[in-house]
Tab-separated table of all heavy atoms in Angstrom:
chain	number	residue	atom	x	y	z
R	31	ARG	N	12.582	4.648	8.517
R	31	ARG	CA	12.186	3.248	8.375
R	31	ARG	C	10.695	3.024	8.601
R	31	ARG	O	10.193	1.923	8.432
R	31	ARG	CB	12.989	2.377	9.364
R	31	ARG	CG	14.475	2.236	8.977
R	31	ARG	CD	14.593	1.489	7.671
R	31	ARG	NE	15.970	1.348	7.199
R	31	ARG	CZ	16.547	2.140	6.320
R	31	ARG	NH1	15.858	3.165	5.807
R	31	ARG	NH2	17.785	1.939	5.917
R	32	ARG	N	9.981	4.067	8.983
R	32	ARG	CA	8.526	3.989	9.141
R	32	ARG	C	7.945	5.232	8.463
R	32	ARG	O	7.901	6.313	9.046
R	32	ARG	CB	8.120	3.909	10.609
R	32	ARG	CG	8.673	2.682	11.327
R	32	ARG	CD	8.066	2.533	12.724
R	32	ARG	NE	6.615	2.325	12.685
R	32	ARG	CZ	6.030	1.146	12.462
R	32	ARG	NH1	6.774	0.063	12.246
R	32	ARG	NH2	4.719	1.040	12.455
R	33	VAL	N	7.515	5.032	7.209
R	33	VAL	CA	7.146	6.167	6.361
R	33	VAL	C	5.658	6.138	6.036
R	33	VAL	O	5.097	5.075	5.753
R	33	VAL	CB	7.969	6.153	5.055
R	33	VAL	CG1	7.647	7.371	4.196
R	33	VAL	CG2	9.464	6.100	5.369
R	34	ILE	N	5.038	7.311	6.049
R	34	ILE	CA	3.659	7.481	5.593
R	34	ILE	C	3.705	8.221	4.266
R	34	ILE	O	4.353	9.275	4.161
R	34	ILE	CB	2.811	8.289	6.598
R	34	ILE	CG1	2.861	7.658	8.000
R	34	ILE	CG2	1.362	8.398	6.106
R	34	ILE	CD1	2.240	6.296	8.110
R	54	LYS	N	4.430	2.413	5.858
R	54	LYS	CA	3.511	1.871	6.865
R	54	LYS	C	2.082	2.366	6.705
R	54	LYS	O	1.166	1.838	7.331
R	54	LYS	CB	4.019	2.214	8.273
R	54	LYS	CG	5.442	1.726	8.555
R	54	LYS	CD	5.591	0.233	8.304
R	54	LYS	CE	7.042	-0.226	8.487
R	54	LYS	NZ	7.214	-1.655	8.148
R	82	ALA	N	-4.724	7.829	13.152
R	82	ALA	CA	-4.211	6.588	12.565
R	82	ALA	C	-2.746	6.749	12.167
R	82	ALA	O	-1.940	5.826	12.341
R	82	ALA	CB	-5.051	6.194	11.352
R	83	ILE	N	-2.396	7.911	11.646
R	83	ILE	CA	-1.004	8.162	11.268
R	83	ILE	C	-0.104	8.153	12.502
R	83	ILE	O	0.948	7.490	12.518
R	83	ILE	CB	-0.882	9.509	10.514
R	83	ILE	CG1	-1.567	9.405	9.152
R	83	ILE	CG2	0.587	9.910	10.354
R	83	ILE	CD1	-1.632	10.717	8.388
R	84	ILE	N	-0.513	8.841	13.541
R	84	ILE	CA	0.300	8.906	14.772
R	84	ILE	C	0.465	7.514	15.376
R	84	ILE	O	1.546	7.148	15.856
R	84	ILE	CB	-0.355	9.881	15.780
R	84	ILE	CG1	-0.320	11.312	15.220
R	84	ILE	CG2	0.348	9.816	17.125
R	84	ILE	CD1	-1.183	12.301	15.980
R	85	ALA	N	-0.605	6.705	15.313
R	85	ALA	CA	-0.553	5.357	15.885
R	85	ALA	C	0.452	4.468	15.159
R	85	ALA	O	0.982	3.513	15.741
R	85	ALA	CB	-1.945	4.722	15.831
R	86	LEU	N	0.745	4.792	13.895
R	86	LEU	CA	1.711	4.004	13.122
R	86	LEU	C	3.157	4.381	13.447
R	86	LEU	O	4.088	3.771	12.927
R	86	LEU	CB	1.439	4.162	11.622
R	86	LEU	CG	0.163	3.485	11.116
R	86	LEU	CD1	-0.183	3.942	9.703
R	86	LEU	CD2	0.307	1.967	11.156
R	87	LYS	N	3.329	5.405	14.294
R	87	LYS	CA	4.650	5.840	14.776
R	87	LYS	C	5.644	6.095	13.643
R	87	LYS	O	6.737	5.517	13.615
R	87	LYS	CB	5.218	4.796	15.755
R	87	LYS	CG	4.335	4.590	16.981
R	87	LYS	CD	4.915	3.564	17.926
R	87	LYS	CE	4.014	3.392	19.141
R	87	LYS	NZ	4.515	2.362	20.084
R	88	PRO	N	5.280	6.984	12.719
R	88	PRO	CA	6.192	7.241	11.597
R	88	PRO	C	7.416	8.046	12.028
R	88	PRO	O	7.342	8.870	12.951
R	88	PRO	CB	5.322	8.049	10.633
R	88	PRO	CG	4.341	8.765	11.526
R	88	PRO	CD	4.045	7.793	12.642
R	89	ASP	N	8.526	7.796	11.350
R	89	ASP	CA	9.691	8.655	11.537
R	89	ASP	C	9.870	9.592	10.343
R	89	ASP	O	10.810	10.388	10.302
R	89	ASP	CB	10.968	7.849	11.802
R	89	ASP	CG	11.207	6.753	10.774
R	89	ASP	OD1	10.600	6.807	9.687
R	89	ASP	OD2	11.989	5.838	11.067
R	90	LEU	N	8.943	9.494	9.360
R	90	LEU	CA	8.917	10.428	8.234
R	90	LEU	C	7.550	10.369	7.573
R	90	LEU	O	7.013	9.286	7.343
R	90	LEU	CB	9.998	10.070	7.198
R	90	LEU	CG	10.040	10.938	5.936
R	90	LEU	CD1	10.472	12.361	6.260
R	90	LEU	CD2	10.982	10.326	4.887
R	91	VAL	N	6.981	11.536	7.292
R	91	VAL	CA	5.760	11.639	6.489
R	91	VAL	C	6.125	12.341	5.195
R	91	VAL	O	6.742	13.414	5.215
R	91	VAL	CB	4.655	12.416	7.233
R	91	VAL	CG1	3.477	12.704	6.304
R	91	VAL	CG2	4.181	11.644	8.461
R	106	LEU	N	1.421	17.367	12.826
R	106	LEU	CA	2.398	16.279	12.883
R	106	LEU	C	3.795	16.820	13.182
R	106	LEU	O	4.544	16.243	13.982
R	106	LEU	CB	2.402	15.500	11.560
R	106	LEU	CG	1.161	14.663	11.250
R	106	LEU	CD1	1.249	14.085	9.849
R	106	LEU	CD2	0.991	13.543	12.270
R	110	GLY	N	6.794	16.515	16.426
R	110	GLY	CA	8.165	16.085	16.201
R	110	GLY	C	8.344	15.113	15.045
R	110	GLY	O	9.417	14.520	14.900
R	111	ILE	N	7.300	14.938	14.212
R	111	ILE	CA	7.394	14.029	13.064
R	111	ILE	C	7.812	14.837	11.835
R	111	ILE	O	7.106	15.752	11.426
R	111	ILE	CB	6.043	13.327	12.808
R	111	ILE	CG1	5.611	12.532	14.049
R	111	ILE	CG2	6.140	12.410	11.590
R	111	ILE	CD1	4.192	12.000	13.963
R	112	PRO	N	8.958	14.537	11.234
R	112	PRO	CA	9.395	15.308	10.066
R	112	PRO	C	8.488	15.074	8.858
R	112	PRO	O	8.031	13.955	8.619
R	112	PRO	CB	10.820	14.810	9.805
R	112	PRO	CG	10.945	13.530	10.549
R	112	PRO	CD	9.941	13.517	11.641
Side-chain angles (χ1 to χ4, degrees):
R31 289 295 178 263
R32 299 189 63 82
V33 183
I34 305 295
K54 304 305 176 184
I83 292 174
I84 294 168
L86 290 168
K87 300 180 180 178
D89 51 18
L90 177 67
V91 171
L106 291 174
I111 301 171

